[in-house]
Amino acid sequence: DVLRENEHIDSCAIKNIILVPFDSPDKLHLKYAEDICNGSSDKTNISLELSSHPGYAIVKMLDKYLHSVSRNKIAWNHIYIGVGRKDGSAVVDYNGKKFESTRDGSCFCLTLPAFHAGMSVSLRTKLRFQDDETMQEKKKFIEKFESACLFSVDPDGSIYPTMAP
């Protein structure tokens, strides 16, 4: 019974993913980094299990998007991601730049386009624009915001924002 209780407590204790310094002992290492870094391998349906935290993976903090954001006539939804039990692992496609959910095409993104230690990471839906004119007017904003969705993976499995190695 004690083991079952610990398992239930553990499944409720999802920890938010935040940026840490590159030399931090708390950085995450993906278990299947070799598959991701190998140029010839299939980069679809990748489980985000962690070698740095055996038995754990990158998971969504909630089942559905609750956070809806609208700024400058641009809207999106996001949900925080964290470290949880591996049986809830996020499954993604990786094109060498972005991690995209196989479920809905949402991508990993810094919650704010700021590359500082302590910034949280979320899963963000595609941007929705009020109209075509908005997309043209806000090109610089969109470029900066999209740069917050670019992530790299080193052969050791460490994952980090491409703009902030």
Side-chain angles (χ1 to χ4, degrees):
D1 283 345
V2 171
L3 287 177
R4 273 183 76 93
E5 290 300 322
N6 285 338
E7 185 175 305
H8 290 298
I9 290 169
D10 201 29
S11 68
C12 295
I14 299 173
K15 295 164 184 68
N16 283 59
I17 293 178
I18 60 169
L19 295 185
V20 297
F22 197 74
D23 58 354
S24 172
D26 297 322
K27 69 181 175 179
L28 302 178
H29 294 267
L30 298 174
K31 183 175 182 177
Y32 302 110
E34 189 174 310
D35 295 338
I36 293 169
C37 293
N38 182 347
S40 63
S41 70
D42 184 24
K43 295 177 182 158
T44 60
N45 294 312
I46 300 165
S47 170
L48 295 181
E49 289 183 52
L50 299 170
S51 62
S52 57
H53 300 72
Y56 292 88
I58 296 174
V59 301
K60 293 193 314 186
M61 300 285 284
L62 298 168
D63 288 334
K64 59 184 176 182
Y65 296 93
L66 295 179
H67 304 285
S68 182
V69 182
S70 181
R71 288 200 176 94
N72 299 322
K73 300 180 185 177
I74 304 170
W76 64 92
N77 295 339
H78 73 97
I79 188 170
Y80 293 105
I81 57 175
V83 174
R85 292 170 38 112
K86 74 177 184 178
D87 56 355
S89 178
V91 178
V92 298
D93 295 336
Y94 182 64
N95 65 7
K97 296 178 181 182
K98 287 185 177 183
F99 286 96
E100 294 184 341
S101 169
T102 57
R103 281 188 168 176
D104 61 10
S106 57
C107 62
F108 278 26
C109 189
L110 296 177
T111 304
L112 297 173
F115 303 99
H116 305 291
M119 291 302 304
S120 59
V121 182
S122 61
L123 205 54
R124 191 205 74 203
T125 60
K126 294 185 185 321
L127 299 176
R128 299 179 306 277
F129 304 97
Q130 186 174 359
D131 51 43
D132 289 340
E133 188 176 313
T134 300
M135 197 159 64
Q136 295 304 317
E137 287 176 5
K138 307 293 183 187
K139 271 190 173 181
K140 288 225 184 257
F141 172 82
I142 295 165
E143 285 174 17
K144 179 156 179 132
F145 204 71
E146 288 297 322
S147 71
C149 297
L150 305 177
F151 284 83
S152 297
V153 179
D154 276 348
D156 70 353
S158 58
I159 177 174
Y160 56 91
T162 304
M163 303 300 283

